[in-house]
Amino acid sequence: MSDITVQTLTSEVTIFPSQSDLPDDEKNLCIEARAAMKYSYSPYSNFRVGAAVLLDDGTIVQGSNQENAAYGPTNCAERSAMFTIGSMGKQDQIRKIAVIARPASDMNTPVPLEKEVSGSPCGICRQVMKEYESLGGQKWVILIIQNSDRVFRIEGVDILLPFAFGPNSL
Ligand code: THU
């Protein structure tokens, strides 16, 4: 019998205590993500999500979650933003994305402390991020805005989606 090996993956996440500790472009991206929650259509979950995506020419594209009475057609904030960019033919120009979530009742109220990763992208969004990142050929910066404006800063979609199925898998 051949040897079985165990490989341990390490995931580097930098935690900023506040948005204001980030470099200016990323601080601004967090502000844009927060502003994007304004157009969240979330009457069923009462959970607003906002995303802001930075392109390499400095353009910022916002997205918010768009729900539906049939539930299934709901689009997450991240995919709203990413597909807007895809529709512009600029999938390969994405460099950074910021995501935030808040209860619909009050966008300025942080979610309860135990919900640590409230702005964390869902699995489907991670899959779309993986695909678009591979088109651009460089790692994205992902900013997950948490309670009290703490920010998880991640470099590369691989951290969020290891062993991903991607264009090279076909
Ligand atoms: N949602 C997002 O917009 N992004 C995510 O990555 C997670 C979930 C939305 C979908 C739905 O409108 C609400 O949050 C509750 O799941």
Side-chain angles (χ1 to χ4, degrees), residues 32-54:
E32 294 283 335
R34 180 183 289 275
M37 290 192 292
K38 180 177 179 187
Y39 299 112
S40 161
Y41 175 67
S42 41
Y44 306 106
S45 71
N46 286 318
F47 192 71
R48 287 177 187 262
V49 187
V53 178
L54 178 69

Side-chain angles (χ1 to χ4, degrees), residues 12 39 76 89 102 111 127-128 146 148 166 168:
E12 196 176 283
Y39 299 112
C76 289
R102 293 288 183 264
V111 293
Q127 185 68 33
V128 174
Q146 301 192 284
S148 319
N168 295 333

Side-chain angles (χ1 to χ4, degrees), residues 35-167:
M37 290 192 292
K38 180 177 179 187
Y39 299 112
S40 161
Y41 175 67
S42 41
Y44 306 106
S45 71
N46 286 318
F47 192 71
R48 287 177 187 262
V49 187
V53 178
L54 178 69
L55 304 183
D56 63 1
D57 67 357
T59 306
I60 292 176
V61 176
Q62 294 176 322
S64 55
N65 55 330
Q66 301 296 316
E67 298 187 348
N68 189 279
Y71 290 17
T74 293
N75 219 44
C76 289
E78 299 91 316
R79 273 176 294 140
S80 296
M82 287 189 285
F83 289 153
T84 298
I85 293 161
S87 304
M88 296 156 68
K90 296 185 173 180
Q91 296 96 325
D92 58 344
Q93 294 174 30
I94 296 175
R95 296 293 171 260
K96 302 183 180 188
I97 180 169
V99 190
I100 188 169
R102 293 288 183 264
S105 53
D106 182 357
M107 285 189 294
N108 296 313
T109 303
V111 293
L113 272 174
E114 64 270 18
K115 292 196 176 178
E116 279 295 355
V117 285
S118 57
S120 190
C122 80
I124 295 176
C125 289
R126 292 175 192 212
Q127 185 68 33
V128 174
M129 291 162 80
K130 161 77 189 169
E131 180 98 12
Y132 281 11
E133 184 189 57
S134 69
L135 295 176
Q138 55 181 278
K139 286 184 177 186
W140 292 8
V141 169
I142 302 123
L143 302 166
I144 300 174
I145 305 163
Q146 301 192 284
N147 310 296
S148 319
D149 288 337
R150 197 154 66 110
V151 180
F152 277 18
R153 186 181 189 280
I154 293 161
E155 287 185 21
V157 178
D158 278 355
I159 303 279
L160 294 173
L161 194 66
F163 298 112
F165 184 88

